[in-house]
Amino acid sequence: MAGVFSRLNMFKLGCRCVKLSRKTLTRAAAPAQTMRRYSSYRGLFGLLFDIDGVLVRGRTPIPAAKQCFRNLVDGNGNFKVPVVFVTNAGNSMRQTKAEQLSHLLEVEDGLLMSTGVTGAGDAVSQSPAGFHSVSRHVRPGVRTGTRCGSRTQFVLDYINSSVGFKNVVTIDMLREAYPLLDTVDHNRRPKEMNPPSKDLPPIEAVVLFGEPIRWETNLQLITDVLLSNGRPGNPVTSLHYPHIPLLACNMDLLWMAEAKNPRFGHGMFLVCLENIYKKITGCELKYEALIGKPSVVTYNYAELLIRQQAENLGWTQPVERLYAIGDNPMSDIYGANLYNRYLKAINHTRAQAQAHAGDIPYDVFDDAKRSGEVSVGGSFEHRLPEGCSSILVCTGVYNPDQQDLPSDPEQTVTEQQIFHGHRDFHFDPSLTQPSFLVQDVREGVERVFQLEGWPLE
């Protein structure tokens, strides 16, 4: 387990609530290399879209998104450039999500399925297309062991069809097997004095896909599983630490739906679980892997899908740049900027290797190479984009009226000390600064097409 995070040392990250003024960003977030104009040359680029707060709010489409996607489709009904939707939501299968999005944006169903709609779990084989790459970090044999998931029918459908894990146990199944474990809601307590229970095989790993419906039930039973070393029906007589492997998708503390203020996300549930476990045991809850934005692995998987689409579009040259459009500075902007740093490091290392014919400092090569090892769809051999620019919209979590920064981005105020990133991610203020601040997704795409020398209509 330690190997997973040691390989991510060069990408330690964190997020905090940043207040960004439009004037500050217009001046500071447009470096010369990003603001290049292409006149006779069309740049080869791909677009990464967040969904909630960028394209929709709950089940309501954002008006600018509909027009944006009309402009993105050519006369043959295909996207003009590679497009991938990168969301931390893990509450539905990829095909279902694509169909819902197609209906809301009024585009052909097949068009979105031919691109890519990735959830937090999709990129692992990563906020899904599976946990294939994560499973190699779990102890031997766990692939065929019993798993405990925080979603019910979705967990069963997804894991059984896409991942290949066997003997999956959901929280509802666990509650049914051990009816005395869930006692917070008196109406759900068993009526019999000694209700029968049935033994389940030992649970060997816990997979958390997204925020559950009944938090008290999930927090209690997941804690039971961790404390009992996967045997929640047995009494806990000693501390089993480290506990069985725990994998979590989607670290978003907040997300934007139809309400005027952000709603609790899965990251908030993780905060509760972490604090409960530490309060009971005195030990830190440990994750085998944290999946979804802002993790680099998510963007490597998205880049793989972008590359596949470029080939389908008949592009003979690799994609040069990526543009990630999101509404949350804590996940979308931080993640895109972190991935940009990753791309720069990998490309710099490759350039050094070529210049020195392989005779380069070991630590430089090793850091970049190891980072590629944990990335889904990433390869140290294939040509990666030269960079990834971040675009922050004002239609979701980020609200420019409430989140103005002082003119000096290094200046700190009390509110800016509030950290909304995950516990295991370290703060880097530069990664929360977007390359561009725009009003909505339509303005963001228009800006990109202008920069890259493409006609939008």
Side-chain angles (χ1 to χ4, degrees):
M1 288 190 285
V4 179
F5 292 108
S6 65
R7 294 175 181 177
L8 290 173
N9 281 337
M10 69 178 294
F11 300 113
K12 288 181 178 179
L13 50 97
C15 309
R16 72 173 178 179
C17 191
V18 206
K19 298 187 174 183
L20 305 169
S21 69
R22 187 179 298 268
K23 179 182 294 185
T24 299
L25 284 169
T26 303
R27 183 172 63 249
Q33 66 268 27
T34 307
M35 294 299 293
R36 291 176 297 183
R37 295 295 197 271
Y38 298 86
S39 53
S40 59
Y41 171 71
R42 282 189 177 187
L44 299 178
F45 67 95
L47 295 171
L48 308 179
F49 290 97
D50 182 31
I51 295 178
D52 294 303
V54 175
L55 306 178
V56 299
R57 288 181 59 164
R59 298 180 181 179
T60 304
I62 294 172
K66 287 187 177 182
Q67 184 58 49
C68 170
F69 277 83
R70 292 191 193 102
N71 294 338
L72 276 175
V73 177
D74 63 20
N76 296 321
N78 300 315
F79 279 122
K80 298 174 182 178
V81 298
V83 169
V84 168
F85 302 89
V86 185
T87 175
N88 271 346
N91 57 349
S92 62
M93 301 287 284
R94 183 190 301 180
Q95 181 174 353
T96 303
K97 179 70 73 174
E99 291 172 352
Q100 293 171 346
L101 200 55
S102 298
H103 174 72
L104 292 173
L105 297 179
E106 299 178 358
V107 297
E108 293 292 333
D109 289 350
L111 181 60
L112 296 194
M113 273 308 299
S114 66
T115 57
V117 179
T118 74
D122 281 324
V124 194
S125 135
Q126 197 151 150
S127 230
F131 279 85
H132 298 99
S133 68
V134 171
S135 65
R136 63 191 174 97
H137 300 305
V138 182
R139 70 178 187 268
V142 77
R143 224 185 136 92
T144 58
T146 301
R147 261 127 199 107
C148 177
S150 65
R151 294 275 182 177
T152 306
Q153 191 57 48
F154 168 68
V155 170
L156 292 174
D157 291 344
Y158 173 66
I159 292 184
N160 289 337
S161 64
S162 301
V163 183
F165 288 159
K166 308 298 182 183
N167 302 324
V168 177
V169 176
T170 66
I171 289 295
D172 284 346
M173 295 166 64
L174 193 63
R175 179 179 170 274
E176 182 180 347
Y178 304 105
L180 291 177
L181 298 184
D182 183 21
T183 61
V184 174
D185 187 343
H186 288 228
N187 293 326
R188 281 159 56 93
R189 288 184 179 184
K191 306 304 180 185
E192 310 97 305
M193 290 294 295
N194 295 299
S197 62
K198 56 183 179 182
D199 288 333
L200 295 175
I203 294 170
E204 295 182 285
V206 177
V207 180
L208 307 176
F209 279 91
E211 60 270 21
I213 295 174
R214 286 182 172 269
W215 285 33
E216 78 284 356
T217 298
N218 283 263
L219 289 169
Q220 177 70 74
L221 270 62
I222 292 171
T223 301
D224 287 338
V225 169
L226 296 174
L227 294 178
S228 64
N229 201 32
R231 297 170 172 83
N234 294 352
V236 177
T237 57
S238 61
L239 176 63
H240 300 278
Y241 195 80
H243 51 70
I244 62 176
L246 173 66
L247 293 75
C249 298
N250 182 359
M251 295 163 277
D252 287 354
L253 192 75
L254 302 167
W255 68 287
M256 205 69 187
E258 291 94 341
K260 296 185 182 299
N261 296 307
R263 303 294 86 196
F264 290 168
H266 192 224
M268 196 72 76
F269 179 81
L270 299 181
V271 169
C272 297
L273 183 62
E274 291 156 10
N275 282 278
I276 289 172
Y277 186 84
K278 185 171 184 179
K279 192 70 173 179
I280 293 175
T281 66
C283 301
E284 296 285 351
L285 188 71
K286 293 184 178 295
Y287 296 93
E288 193 76 15
L290 289 166
I291 305 151
K293 296 177 292 186
S295 295
V296 169
V297 66
T298 302
Y299 292 87
N300 257 318
Y301 180 70
E303 186 273 333
L304 167 67
L305 298 181
I306 287 285
R307 199 172 352 125
Q308 293 173 345
Q309 287 182 50
E311 294 173 358
N312 293 337
L313 289 173
W315 291 14
T316 57
Q317 297 297 318
V319 173
E320 299 166 333
R321 282 167 297 283
L322 297 176
Y323 294 89
I325 304 176
D327 70 305
N328 192 336
M330 302 306 141
S331 58
D332 302 315
I333 303 308
Y334 201 105
N337 290 339
L338 184 70
Y339 187 55
N340 183 63
R341 181 179 292 180
Y342 166 87
L343 293 174
K344 300 295 185 186
I346 290 289
N347 290 327
H348 175 70
T349 302
R350 287 177 172 172
Q352 282 188 308
Q354 293 174 353
H356 297 277
D359 184 19
I360 62 174
Y362 175 80
D363 57 342
V364 174
F365 178 83
D366 191 54
D367 277 347
K369 180 76 172 181
R370 285 188 175 189
S371 298
E373 287 178 4
V374 299
S375 57
V376 177
S379 164
F380 196 73
E381 288 71 32
H382 84 266
R383 179 175 170 182
L384 289 165
E386 63 187 46
C388 178
S389 296
S390 57
I391 301 176
L392 179 63
V393 300
C394 303
T395 52
V397 170
Y398 174 74
N399 185 335
D401 295 330
Q402 299 176 2
Q403 295 172 277
D404 278 339
L405 268 184
S407 57
D408 180 4
E410 297 302 319
Q411 180 180 351
T412 59
V413 294
T414 302
E415 293 84 1
Q416 292 172 282
Q417 301 300 324
I418 300 174
F419 175 58
H420 282 188
H422 187 269
R423 179 202 67 187
D424 294 348
F425 284 42
H426 301 284
F427 171 61
D428 184 340
S430 66
L431 294 179
T432 58
Q433 298 282 349
S435 304
F436 306 100
L437 175 64
V438 296
Q439 181 59 38
D440 52 44
V441 65
R442 179 181 178 183
E443 182 182 336
V445 170
E446 288 175 350
R447 176 76 65 89
V448 171
F449 271 65
Q450 178 186 11
L451 292 172
E452 297 289 350
W454 281 66
L456 191 55
E457 298 183 4

